[in-house]
Amino acid sequence: MFTLFFMSMIIIIIAMIVMYLASLLSKKSLNDREKMSPFECGFDPMNSSRLPFSIRFFLITIIFLIFDVEIALILPMIMIFKVSNIMCWSYTSTIFILILLIGLIHEWNQGALNWSN
């Protein structure tokens, strides 16, 4: 019991030393106005360097990533069709596709798939 406590204290002390050294040796960044502004050949910027970001583009990107991962998960299901139990495979595939369809219907009802706006 004592050795477990002793080892955990040593691990905690080593971790604290490493965190302290990392913060001591890390690059310091000063939030200077000149360093935070964009570089345009020494001139002041003509307009704002921070452009507004379209949230619709972001949502479409997230939906694409979700369905991209879906394809990566469905392909191995097709490959193991012959070697697995047919009932287990059918149940798992049906539940997986049902969850994806419910998500798609939800996105459709929320209007995330409308490009007209």
Side-chain angles (χ1 to χ4, degrees):
M1 183 72 174
F2 182 70
T3 56
L4 181 65
F5 177 74
F6 184 68
M7 292 299 289
S8 63
M9 290 305 292
I10 289 175
I11 291 172
I12 290 172
I13 290 172
I14 290 174
M16 291 178 72
I17 290 172
V18 168
M19 285 191 298
Y20 177 72
L21 287 174
S23 67
L24 188 67
L25 298 174
S26 68
K27 180 182 173 186
K28 302 291 184 201
S29 65
L30 300 173
N31 292 336
D32 188 7
R33 185 176 87 74
E34 291 296 324
K35 289 191 178 193
M36 293 299 288
S37 67
F39 178 71
E40 291 188 13
C41 301
F43 297 106
D44 288 333
M46 299 292 257
N47 3 348
S48 174
S49 62
R50 309 286 186 235
L51 298 175
F53 185 72
S54 171
I55 194 71
R56 298 201 53 79
F57 175 75
F58 179 73
L59 288 176
I60 293 295
T61 305
I62 295 298
I63 292 170
F64 171 76
L65 285 175
I66 289 170
F67 284 103
D68 192 37
V69 170
E70 165 206 347
I71 296 298
L73 292 174
I74 285 181
L75 284 177
M77 289 175 118
I78 295 169
M79 301 272 194
I80 64 166
F81 175 70
K82 291 184 179 178
V83 293
S84 69
N85 183 0
I86 189 71
M87 287 302 291
C88 181
W89 183 87
S90 300
Y91 181 71
T92 306
S93 301
T94 304
I95 295 295
F96 182 72
I97 291 173
L98 254 170
I99 290 171
L100 289 172
L101 283 175
I102 290 170
L104 178 65
I105 291 169
H106 176 70
E107 291 294 328
W108 197 341
N109 286 338
Q110 294 295 317
L113 301 177
N114 291 338
W115 283 90
S116 61
N117 293 342

